[in-house]
Amino acid sequence: MSENKEQAGFSENVDRLFDRAVRKMNLSEGLVEKIRIVNSTYTVRFGVKLRGDICTFTGYRSVHSEHTEPVKGGIRYAPNVHQDEVEALAALMTYKCALVEVPFGGSKGGLRIDPREWDNRELEQITRRFAYELIKRDLIHPSQNVPAPDMGTGEQEMAWIADQYHRMHTTDIDSRACVTGKPLNAGGIRGRVEATGRGVQYALRDFFRYDEDVAVAGLTGSLGDQRVIVQGLGNVGYHAAKFLSEEDGCKIIAVLERDGAVINENGLDIEAMRTYISENNGVEGFEGGTFEADSDKVLCADCEILIPAALEGVIHSGNADQVKAKLIIEAANGPVTADADEILRNKGVVIIPDLYANAGGVTVSYFEWVKNLSHIRFGRMQRREEEARHMMLIDEIEKATGKNLNEEFKKRYIQGADELTLVRSGLDDTMRGAYADMRKLWHLNRESDPSMDLRTAAYMLAIKRVADSYKSLGL
Ligand code: NAD
């Protein structure tokens, strides 16, 4: 991958994008500064006895804004996690939650570790110890700070964290709400694992609902007509690629992973590729396409939609000019630097920004948190009652017409909404609502202000909501 030689760190990039939006708003300098700054970052170094010696780990939990609580944000496991990265991600969480109207402030955590170097038992010990350090300072707490999975973590780590919290707060009836992204049997919710990828799919569906937006990107046809390149086939990238290819008919013509890329102009078999990666730790040797070691070349290859779903800063001033995609959807956090953003906008590339594109995860995390606090599965009370009422209507229609309705239709119509259906409906509604708000602001200003784009609109909406919240607190 070509190296990002820009001097600006991740936080500075987020700040620059924030500043661009703020310049178009009428807010006092003091309020802008209050919204921008990271409230606090806690650094912890702890030792765990492993493999006959003590291993020391460094972790972070950063709180960007507590304008509403709890604060929310994933915990990332990666070998190069650092404070600037965690703070930038915490800020993005504040704006993301405000944009999709999820009532959380922004936070993020990270542990400097390569999870692939440790076995399951060791990871459990490390995760429990990290969680212990955060829990005893209320940096994991159902009403104050609620983590979730991010890069390098998943359901298993969240289950360990929830259990650790419960062990330290045995009488807290709401203890399961201390973390989201848990497995179902530990208080999770259906649809959370795939939620971020599902959200990326819904975001693209929203974009293609508006001919005007499709035309601005210089695209034609429907979502299913587009050729897509995906970087990173992890949780987010895999689910987005799977749903877009299986349900919308998109061709995923290339997938980039750590060791290179695989290309197939006829479309890759995402399921087979995911299995291959998990067995071989990379894509080289996958027989469903042609291997290319130079990932950066593939990142800039000809396609309609590019989905960076791995890391921050992968599209930068050094390669933005060569990007051929007409539409970039930021499934990862911060994959396009502020410099690259400028270059791409001038080229006419439309970017669906991270704070909207990957908000599916936090949206469904919100549903999980509500489920944990209400101690009941969504749909449990009304599902069968709904089915009985639908059945009554069908019976009446059949009696009145003397005809039997189509069996397949009856089956689908009668079905009451279960938890997964409700989660998908809530996610779809959230993504549609936020996109409609964003595009309205974008189009209102686009003609008169060429620097107006979807990202700026998203930031403006988010910043206004955070500002209103601070104002109502009397600040
Ligand atoms: P993950 O660890 O499941 O997957 C990351 C994938 O990227 C892995 O397959 C990894 O091998 C690949 N990768 C790593 N380095 C790469 C490189 N240099 N080139 C190509 N591929 C590379 O992580 P994830 O949870 O899918 O998160 C991915 C991104 O999405 C991150 O930016 C994260 O912050 C963001 N995100 C995740 C969630 C979530 O719910 N998991 C929610 C919102 C945003």
Side-chain angles (χ1 to χ4, degrees):
M1 194 171 76
S2 85
E3 206 187 328
N4 176 5
K5 301 248 168 57
E6 281 167 32
Q7 293 300 307
F10 195 177
S11 283
E12 197 183 324
N13 272 303
V14 173
D15 279 353
R16 281 174 58 191
L17 300 168
F18 170 92
D19 285 342
R20 207 170 71 197
V22 153
R23 277 196 293 274
K24 300 179 196 300
M25 301 172 75
N26 186 21
L27 299 173
S28 80
E29 248 177 64
L31 182 56
V32 167
E33 192 53 18
K34 176 69 208 85
I35 297 171
R36 180 210 314 277
I37 49 112
V38 175
N39 286 4
S40 62
T41 301
Y42 171 69
T43 305
V44 57
R45 293 181 189 88
F46 58 91
V48 185
K49 195 145 187 229
L50 295 162
R51 301 179 189 177
D53 204 353
I54 296 174
C55 300
T56 302
F57 297 91
T58 303
Y60 307 92
R61 188 77 184 157
S62 179
V63 175
H64 174 257
S65 174
E66 292 146 298
H67 65 283
T68 174
E69 285 181 308
V71 293
K72 188 101 187 68
I75 291 184
R76 172 177 283 200
Y77 282 5
N80 48 1
V81 162
H82 53 88
Q83 184 170 340
D84 177 79
E85 172 186 354
V86 175
E87 291 187 349
L89 289 162
L92 276 175
M93 282 307 296
T94 297
Y95 309 136
K96 191 180 304 184
C97 292
L99 177 68
V100 295
E101 298 186 295
V102 160
F104 297 136
S107 182
K108 201 81 182 189
L111 185 64
R112 200 178 293 160
I113 182 179
D114 186 345
R116 292 170 305 171
E117 285 177 2
W118 303 95
D119 68 29
N120 217 36
R121 181 84 199 109
E122 292 166 333
L123 274 176
E124 177 176 355
Q125 278 176 268
I126 299 163
T127 302
R128 283 187 183 277
R129 186 59 213 277
F130 183 33
Y132 169 82
E133 294 294 334
L134 298 181
I135 293 164
K136 72 179 183 191
R137 289 171 179 84
D138 289 340
L139 286 165
I140 295 178
H141 190 286
S143 60
Q144 290 187 36
N145 197 323
V146 183
D150 193 73
M151 227 164 81
T153 58
E155 285 188 328
Q156 179 60 82
E157 287 75 15
M158 302 307 116
W160 290 327
I161 292 172
D163 185 62
Q164 188 63 33
Y165 184 91
H166 188 65
R167 287 183 190 187
M168 293 166 72
H169 298 84
T170 48
T171 57
D172 182 351
I173 197 167
D174 292 328
S175 69
R176 282 182 154 180
C178 76
V179 64
T180 58
K182 304 176 292 289
L184 259 189
N185 61 17
I189 193 165
R190 284 170 182 81
R192 174 59 184 91
V193 176
E194 68 266 30
T196 311
R198 182 67 77 189
V200 171
Q201 176 198 30
Y202 287 172
L204 281 171
R205 283 185 180 175
D206 281 334
F207 183 84
F208 277 88
R209 245 179 225 122
Y210 299 95
D211 293 344
E212 193 184 356
D213 300 8
V214 175
V216 175
L219 292 167
T220 51
S222 65
L223 177 55
D225 299 323
Q226 315 303 320
R227 294 168 308 149
V228 180
I229 294 180
V230 180
Q231 181 188 44
L233 211 65
N235 178 309
V236 179
Y238 158 68
H239 285 108
K242 177 182 164 70
F243 300 145
L244 287 169
S245 57
E246 290 177 4
E247 297 173 14
D248 296 286
C250 293
K251 266 195 193 129
I252 313 294
I253 59 163
V255 166
L256 288 73
E257 260 292 330
R258 294 174 203 261
D259 62 331
V262 174
I263 307 157
N264 185 341
E265 280 296 329
N266 297 319
L268 288 157
D269 179 341
I270 296 302
E271 210 53 62
M273 212 167 168
R274 171 85 159 178
T275 309
Y276 186 87
I277 294 170
S278 66
E279 286 165 1
N280 299 278
N281 266 325
V283 290
E284 189 170 6
F286 178 67
E287 288 181 350
T290 315
F291 180 71
E292 168 60 65
D294 183 357
S295 304
D296 210 43
K297 205 164 109 189
V298 183
L299 195 69
C300 301
D302 192 34
C303 69
E304 281 79 44
I305 303 175
L306 176 61
I307 310 184
L311 309 166
E312 56 272 12
V314 292
I315 303 170
H316 45 81
S317 54
N319 61 6
D321 208 27
Q322 290 132 50
V323 168
K324 294 195 188 57
K326 293 190 162 74
L327 177 65
I328 297 177
I329 175 156
E330 295 183 321
N333 282 307
V336 176
T337 67
D339 281 343
D341 186 82
E342 200 86 28
I343 297 169
L344 291 164
R345 183 158 21 82
N346 291 336
K347 271 176 45 151
V349 177
V350 172
I351 300 176
I352 304 182
D354 46 9
L355 60 157
Y356 168 69
N358 66 38
V362 74
T363 302
V364 177
S365 274
Y366 167 47
F367 302 154
E368 180 178 332
W369 180 74
V370 172
K371 174 186 179 180
N372 293 153
L373 293 178
S374 56
H375 301 270
I376 188 163
R377 182 181 80 228
F378 289 109
R380 182 164 177 181
M381 300 297 280
Q382 64 271 45
R383 183 175 173 197
R384 302 300 169 190
E385 187 275 339
E386 239 175 60
E387 290 186 358
R389 257 187 307 116
H390 289 170
M391 196 61 225
M392 232 164 74
L393 182 69
I394 298 250
D395 283 347
E396 279 308 304
I397 292 172
E398 287 186 341
K399 254 190 250 156
T401 59
K403 284 185 187 152
N404 287 336
L405 295 178
N406 174 287
E407 281 307 318
E408 186 51 34
F409 166 79
K410 275 207 292 196
K411 208 169 111 195
R412 287 182 54 203
Y413 180 74
I414 289 166
Q415 215 166 56
D418 61 8
E419 184 172 77
L420 185 60
T421 311
L422 292 167
V423 162
R424 286 190 183 157
S425 158
L427 176 59
D428 194 8
D429 186 58
T430 304
M431 298 305 287
R432 282 195 212 203
Y435 188 75
D437 290 347
M438 264 162 49
R439 75 175 297 278
K440 193 169 157 202
L441 199 55
W442 178 37
H443 288 291
L444 203 65
N445 297 281
R446 212 170 64 80
E447 293 298 318
S448 59
D449 178 1
S451 72
M452 190 69 189
D453 54 17
L454 276 169
R455 190 193 308 279
T456 309
Y459 268 91
M460 286 173 76
L461 287 162
I463 293 165
K464 169 147 190 352
R465 288 176 187 153
V466 179
D468 287 348
S469 157
Y470 275 127
K471 280 181 198 157
S472 65
L473 289 173
L475 265 183

